[in-house]
Amino acid sequence: MRWGIILLVASAATSGATEPDRRALAEKAAQVLRKNCHRCHGEDGSVEGGFNFVLDVPRLIASRKIVPGKPDESPLWKRLAKDSMPPAGEEPRPDETERAIVRQWIEAGAPASADSPPRPRVTSADVLRWVLDDLQTFDRRSR
C-alpha cells in the first residue's frame, strides 16, 4: 500500500513538472500573433479579411477560428501550418518555433494571456441608446 502512495505522489509531481505553464504559453502565443498577424488583422483598426480580433482569445474561440485542444480543427492553425498566412511577401513570417508555440497553445486549450483585455459588456440599454442616438441624426419625419 505504501508503494502505491509513493508512486502516485511521484507521478503527480513529475506530470505537473512536465506540463507547460499555461500562462507563459499564452503570453508566448500572444506575442507570436501580435508580431505576425496583428498588423493586418487589428492594429490601428485594420480589419483585413474581416478578422480584426486576432488577439481576442474568447472571440477567436466563439468564432471557431480556434478550437481549444484541437489545432488540426482550428482554421487559424491550418493557415499557419500551410504557411498561407501571412501571405507570401509579408514580413515578418512565423518560424517553426513560433508555429510550434501556437500549436502547443491551442493544444493546451488556448488559455487567455494576462494582457488579454476583458471585453466590455454590452447591455440592452447600450444598444437602445445607440439606436436612439443614431435616429437623432435624421430629421423627425424620416425617423
Side-chain angles (χ1 to χ4, degrees), residues 29-140:
Q31 289 173 359
V32 171
L33 295 175
R34 187 175 296 106
K35 175 184 166 191
N36 297 288
C37 309
H38 191 245
R39 70 181 178 279
C40 294
H41 299 291
E43 191 171 63
D44 298 325
S46 304
V47 191
E48 290 187 27
F51 180 55
N52 64 337
F53 50 92
V54 71
L55 299 179
D56 185 344
V57 176
R59 191 163 171 200
L60 286 172
I61 293 169
S63 66
R64 309 249 333 134
K65 298 287 185 194
I66 289 185
V67 180
K70 300 178 181 180
D72 295 326
E73 295 177 24
S74 302
L76 185 139
W77 168 250
K78 289 178 185 179
R79 301 288 302 265
L80 278 174
K82 289 191 303 187
D83 202 27
S84 64
M85 273 293 152
E90 287 289 326
E91 294 295 331
R93 300 186 67 72
D95 59 25
E96 288 304 315
T97 304
E98 291 172 325
R99 282 192 194 100
I101 288 169
V102 173
R103 182 175 179 90
Q104 288 173 339
W105 171 66
I106 296 170
E107 286 172 343
S113 65
D115 66 347
S116 293
R119 293 189 51 131
R121 184 173 174 95
V122 177
T123 65
S124 298
D126 292 329
V127 173
L128 291 173
R129 188 180 69 250
W130 296 331
V131 169
L132 181 60
D133 289 347
D134 187 51
L135 285 172
Q136 298 296 334
T137 64
F138 295 97
D139 67 272
R140 199 163 183 83

